[in-house]
Amino acid sequence: MSNIVEKKQSEFSRAEPFRVAVIGSGNWGTTVAKIIAENTNERPEEFVRDVNMWVYEEDIEGRKLTDIINEEHENVKYLPGVKLPKNLHATPDLLAVASPADILVFNVPHQFLSRILQQLKGKIKPTARAISCLKGLNVEKNSCQLLSTQIENELNIHCGVLSGANLAPEIARECWSETTIAYVKPKDYRGKYDDVTPFTIKHLFHRPAYFHVQVIEDIAGASLGGALKNVIALAVGFVDGLNWGDNAKGAIIRLGLREMIHFGHTYFPGAKSYTLTCESAGAADLITSCAGGRNFKVGREIAATGKPAEQVEAELLNGQSAQGIITAAEVYEFLSSKGDLNSYPLLITVYLILKGERSAECIPEYFNKTEDVKHWED
Amino acid sequence: MSNIVEKKQSEFSRAEPFRVAVIGSGNWGTTVAKIIAENTNERPEEFVRDVNMWVYEEDIEGRKLTDIINEEHENVKYLPGVKLPKNLHATPDLLAVASPADILVFNVPHQFLSRILQQLKGKIKPTARAISCLKGLNVEKNSCQLLSTQIENELNIHCGVLSGANLAPEIARECWSETTIAYVKPKDYRGKYDDVTPFTIKHLFHRPAYFHVQVIEDIAGASLGGALKNVIALAVGFVDGLNWGDNAKGAIIRLGLREMIHFGHTYFPGAKSYTLTCESAGAADLITSCAGGRNFKVGREIAATGKPAEQVEAELLNGQSAQGIITAAEVYEFLSSKGDLNSYPLLITVYLILKGERSAECIPEYFNKTEDVKHWED
């Protein structure tokens, strides 16, 4: 080993390596846990090698899912066919996973977050840091909160955000992709030998061969794309269901991007346009989601068959929900409370189509109003 | 007819309505001519109803292409199956079309532009205005010129640009799409009763049911997307040919968008990021082109088969060329002359892959260098 490498490693060594816990084990949770365990295995000076992953226990043909994961190193339920590192351990005990951890990586469905945070309150290290891999917003009638802010407020710990063009099955197969992690310096930062730094983040999540991590500081920008893209993916599904072709899909995506940026500027003044256009968490995630994800498929079926959204969701998703349908309603309610519906013709039209109050065919009507010609002085 | 409509129409009436000519009759040229003739037919107070389109004469099974277009109102060679307005007239005589025109709409392949401009020099109205629908850049070793600038310089007339997410066959079938037209106030502007205004542009190109026009002033921004997107579409084709999935495609598009914006800021200081991210001529056109156009297909075949670019082009395109291959070489030569290759890892990597000097598999290597982690002060 060369001197340069030794020096580089020692810079990140510490007396007590960070213990990392992953909260959640769906296909994305398991994929992220795989990445993390691969990295902790390669950097024992920086991280405790063993990574614990909290698994909501299920019975799989008479065996416990946690036993299967720990014995066969495969999440046969949510990520079948992908071998997991042997230093990744599944456990059904949330507090056993979370309490000793220095770094908590949250990766559960949005709707379970509040309950989990209630269970963790007062039971984790006060010095712990967190990364949220959740997509969504915590919308109530008059307020719109980032999920990382909810984690910070409930647990009183500092929290960053991971978001990007990240279809889990592709990353699990180690196809090249990128992500964005937004993490700012905590107010009570303890210095680079005792605290999580951007280097810690990069070392924990970056895989040179297949998962490229860009660390930025724009938490709101990185979060908004992941939340709003699902609504736009529904709209792209609508025009695909109507067979309008690739021009119309490109048009919907650019209109969506414009409304995302405007939403960020208006309600999260720190959010940067650059994050939404030029980072993985922005346009790249939007484009990837509009190429064929769950929300896209639901939108396509609604427009092609004329069936109500609830029926399509029930038929296509086997009891799961299309996040975009929930987000569209939340965003509508929020913008309505702010008296700001007119600035978001695409987001609002998607909601009205889902409610059955508009047909997908009338999407174009909503756009020419906002983009009229300016007069020149003679 | 209501009073409001009458008033609106009279505002744009003039003693001498504008005569419009279309130079070029490929699938895009014919599609744009169809749009224009539909609009001139509805606005006789503003435009001469009859529109002439210059057609490069060809023999189709013993009949002249111009005769077929004029008798059957269909361009059977380049836009078969689409009925054209009866007030659109095909003629093989370039000067007969261009000389009397007040508005010249250029829509020919890039490589024919110089020769056509030579023929038109001194033979057109000095008061004429032009719109370029061409995609590309006029690159020479040390300079990089917009094609609209080339038209302006050679003919000494004012020229705007039309560019957007515009796959011609979809628009010809009247599927909803959008476009961007960049047009600035000419130095010798003659006032709204005697000259082309943004309203003239909108009235000439906008079709409420299927072709939505946004008029802006950023000529460089609107032009650059259309030129550089083809290089990026090749790269998206590469990763598709390698079966890397939708995450990788999203990543390539966002890296491409970033390099487009940087290229604009560096070499066309007036170009706005907003045009490239939020107008149809920017991200929308890029996304649409990367969903399956000619350059995408060539890139995919190169990566999937390992065949040289020339061979794939010959096999797939039947003698035509993939514009991205030409543009990649031009951009490489230009950036090399400026000593600025390192700022454009994607554009440069595409060129090196096309030359056989890199393999498509090594695309990811070029990106992590430029995006490293920043240190925090303790």
Side-chain angles (χ1 to χ4, degrees):
Chain A
M1 193 182 281
S2 80
N3 281 337
I4 292 167
V5 174
E6 278 177 47
K7 188 163 179 296
K8 268 201 161 170
Q9 287 194 336
S10 68
E11 189 187 339
F12 303 106
S13 298
R14 50 180 60 81
E16 294 280 339
F18 292 125
R19 184 177 296 277
V20 187
V22 178
I23 313 295
S25 58
N27 69 347
W28 185 218
T30 308
T31 301
V32 169
K34 171 181 179 288
I35 289 167
I36 287 173
E38 286 169 2
N39 279 324
T40 61
N41 195 44
E42 289 173 10
R43 295 183 173 274
E45 76 291 351
E46 200 171 356
F47 303 106
V48 174
R49 185 170 263 137
D50 289 310
V51 174
N52 288 322
M53 172 170 74
W54 174 65
V55 175
Y56 181 84
E57 191 67 282
E58 297 184 49
D59 189 272
I60 311 286
E61 296 174 10
R63 289 175 73 191
K64 287 179 177 169
L65 180 55
T66 51
D67 288 342
I68 298 175
I69 294 174
N70 290 330
E71 288 160 21
E72 295 174 22
H73 308 292
E74 183 179 340
N75 185 338
V76 293
K77 176 88 186 259
Y78 295 107
L79 201 63
V82 175
K83 278 292 150 203
L84 301 173
K86 291 183 180 160
N87 58 322
L88 176 65
H89 308 285
T91 149
D93 182 343
L94 178 63
L95 292 181
V97 169
S99 297
D102 303 298
I103 301 174
L104 290 160
V105 178
F106 286 92
N107 209 334
V108 294
H110 178 177
Q111 62 268 33
F112 301 144
L113 181 63
S114 290
R115 211 191 53 198
I116 287 169
L117 294 178
Q118 289 313 312
Q119 290 177 261
L120 295 179
K121 221 173 227 180
K123 309 282 173 58
I124 57 168
K125 284 191 175 183
T127 55
R129 307 299 187 191
I131 297 289
S132 162
C133 304
L134 279 73
K135 303 268 167 98
L137 291 167
N138 189 19
V139 174
E140 287 170 24
K141 198 160 183 67
N142 223 330
S143 79
C144 181
Q145 189 184 49
L146 304 180
L147 299 183
S148 58
T149 307
Q150 187 184 353
I151 293 171
E152 290 193 325
N153 291 348
E154 302 263 355
L155 299 184
N156 197 27
I157 59 174
H158 188 71
C159 186
V161 166
L162 182 153
S163 188
N166 296 153
L167 299 175
E170 295 182 5
I171 298 171
R173 286 190 291 121
E174 304 189 1
C175 295
W176 174 60
S177 73
E178 301 182 307
T179 204
T180 306
I181 303 183
Y183 192 79
V184 298
K185 195 171 168 177
K187 284 190 194 126
D188 60 342
Y189 181 56
R190 303 183 297 270
K192 69 179 177 187
Y193 296 104
D194 291 308
D195 208 337
V196 170
T197 71
F199 285 94
T200 318
I201 301 289
K202 185 120 180 176
H203 293 166
L204 189 57
F205 291 96
H206 183 78
R207 296 297 296 156
Y210 69 93
F211 194 61
H212 281 199
V213 170
Q214 173 76 351
V215 184
I216 66 169
E217 303 208 330
D218 179 9
I219 304 265
S223 305
L224 285 175
L228 297 177
K229 65 164 191 182
N230 291 321
V231 183
I232 297 155
L234 283 165
V236 173
F238 294 154
V239 305
D240 196 61
L242 295 171
N243 259 318
W244 285 2
D246 287 330
N247 292 338
K249 289 194 238 175
I252 293 291
I253 294 173
R254 80 119 189 146
L255 290 162
L257 194 56
R258 208 177 57 167
E259 292 187 17
M260 272 186 183
I261 292 170
H262 188 65
F263 190 92
H265 284 182
T266 307
Y267 297 109
F268 295 91
K272 291 181 185 157
S273 304
Y274 186 86
T275 306
L276 287 167
T277 55
C278 290
E279 299 291 0
S280 180
D285 187 19
L286 175 61
I287 292 164
T288 297
S289 300
C290 291
R294 182 190 288 188
N295 293 282
F296 169 83
K297 284 175 191 155
V298 167
R300 184 173 56 188
E301 186 76 1
I302 290 170
T305 63
K307 291 178 187 170
E310 300 70 30
Q311 188 184 342
V312 169
E313 213 177 2
E315 287 173 4
L316 285 189
L317 300 185
N318 207 6
Q320 293 189 285
S321 59
Q323 186 64 45
I325 294 179
I326 301 164
T327 307
E330 288 178 336
V331 167
Y332 182 89
E333 190 184 18
F334 171 69
L335 291 173
S336 178
S337 78
K338 296 284 180 188
D340 196 14
L341 294 174
N342 287 340
S343 304
Y344 302 91
L346 183 64
L347 295 175
I348 297 318
T349 301
V350 170
Y351 172 74
L352 294 173
I353 292 169
L354 292 171
K355 290 278 285 178
E357 295 177 15
R358 294 278 186 284
S359 77
E361 281 85 353
C362 68
I363 287 178
E365 288 170 27
Y366 294 92
F367 298 104
N368 227 37
K369 297 179 208 168
T370 57
E371 305 186 316
D372 231 332
V373 172
K374 276 180 255 162
H375 263 291
W376 281 340
E377 298 295 319
D378 267 352
Chain B
M1 191 182 281
S2 79
N3 281 337
I4 292 167
V5 173
E6 277 177 48
K7 188 164 179 295
K8 267 201 162 170
Q9 287 194 336
S10 68
E11 189 188 339
F12 303 106
S13 298
R14 50 180 62 81
E16 294 279 340
F18 291 126
R19 183 177 295 277
V20 187
V22 178
I23 313 293
S25 57
N27 69 347
W28 187 218
T30 307
T31 300
V32 170
K34 170 180 178 290
I35 289 167
I36 287 173
E38 287 169 2
N39 278 325
T40 60
N41 195 45
E42 290 174 8
R43 295 182 173 274
E45 76 291 352
E46 199 171 357
F47 303 107
V48 174
R49 184 171 262 137
D50 289 311
V51 173
N52 288 323
M53 171 170 75
W54 174 65
V55 175
Y56 181 83
E57 191 66 282
E58 297 184 51
D59 189 272
I60 310 287
E61 297 174 9
R63 289 176 73 193
K64 286 180 177 169
L65 180 54
T66 51
D67 288 342
I68 299 175
I69 293 173
N70 290 329
E71 289 159 20
E72 295 174 22
H73 308 292
E74 182 179 339
N75 185 338
V76 293
K77 176 87 187 260
Y78 296 107
L79 201 62
V82 175
K83 278 292 152 203
L84 302 174
K86 290 182 181 163
N87 58 322
L88 176 65
H89 308 285
T91 149
D93 181 343
L94 178 63
L95 292 182
V97 169
S99 297
D102 301 298
I103 302 175
L104 290 159
V105 178
F106 286 91
N107 210 333
V108 294
H110 179 177
Q111 62 268 30
F112 300 144
L113 181 64
S114 291
R115 211 190 52 199
I116 287 168
L117 294 179
Q118 289 314 310
Q119 291 177 260
L120 294 181
K121 222 173 227 179
K123 308 281 173 57
I124 57 167
K125 282 191 175 182
T127 54
R129 307 300 186 191
I131 297 290
S132 163
C133 303
L134 279 74
K135 303 267 167 99
L137 291 167
N138 189 19
V139 174
E140 285 169 23
K141 199 161 182 65
N142 224 330
S143 78
C144 181
Q145 190 185 49
L146 304 180
L147 299 184
S148 58
T149 308
Q150 188 185 352
I151 293 170
E152 290 194 324
N153 292 348
E154 302 262 357
L155 300 184
N156 198 28
I157 58 173
H158 189 70
C159 186
V161 166
L162 182 154
S163 188
N166 296 152
L167 300 175
E170 295 182 5
I171 299 171
R173 286 190 291 121
E174 303 189 2
C175 296
W176 174 59
S177 75
E178 300 183 306
T179 204
T180 306
I181 303 183
Y183 192 78
V184 297
K185 194 170 167 178
K187 285 190 194 126
D188 61 342
Y189 180 56
R190 302 183 297 270
K192 70 179 177 187
Y193 295 105
D194 291 308
D195 207 337
V196 169
T197 71
F199 285 94
T200 317
I201 301 288
K202 185 119 181 177
H203 294 167
L204 190 58
F205 291 97
H206 184 78
R207 296 297 297 156
Y210 69 93
F211 194 61
H212 282 199
V213 169
Q214 172 76 349
V215 184
I216 65 169
E217 301 210 331
D218 179 9
I219 304 265
S223 305
L224 285 175
L228 297 177
K229 66 164 189 181
N230 291 319
V231 182
I232 297 155
L234 283 165
V236 173
F238 294 155
V239 305
D240 195 62
L242 294 171
N243 259 319
W244 285 2
D246 287 331
N247 292 338
K249 289 194 240 176
I252 293 290
I253 294 173
R254 80 117 190 148
L255 291 161
L257 193 56
R258 208 177 57 168
E259 293 188 16
M260 270 186 184
I261 292 170
H262 189 64
F263 191 92
H265 284 182
T266 308
Y267 297 109
F268 295 89
K272 291 181 184 155
S273 303
Y274 186 87
T275 307
L276 287 166
T277 55
C278 290
E279 299 291 0
S280 181
D285 187 19
L286 176 61
I287 292 164
T288 298
S289 301
C290 291
R294 182 190 288 187
N295 292 282
F296 169 83
K297 285 176 190 155
V298 166
R300 184 173 58 187
E301 185 76 2
I302 290 170
T305 64
K307 290 178 187 172
E310 299 72 30
Q311 188 184 340
V312 169
E313 211 178 2
E315 288 173 4
L316 284 190
L317 300 187
N318 206 9
Q320 293 188 285
S321 58
Q323 185 65 43
I325 295 179
I326 301 165
T327 307
E330 288 178 336
V331 167
Y332 182 88
E333 190 184 20
F334 171 69
L335 291 172
S336 179
S337 78
K338 297 284 181 188
D340 195 15
L341 293 175
N342 288 339
S343 303
Y344 302 91
L346 182 64
L347 296 175
I348 297 317
T349 302
V350 171
Y351 172 74
L352 295 173
I353 292 168
L354 292 171
K355 288 279 285 179
E357 294 177 16
R358 294 277 186 285
S359 78
E361 281 85 352
C362 67
I363 287 177
E365 288 171 27
Y366 294 91
F367 298 105
N368 227 37
K369 295 180 206 165
T370 55
E371 304 186 315
D372 231 330
V373 173
K374 275 180 256 161
H375 263 292
W376 281 340
E377 298 295 319
D378 265 351

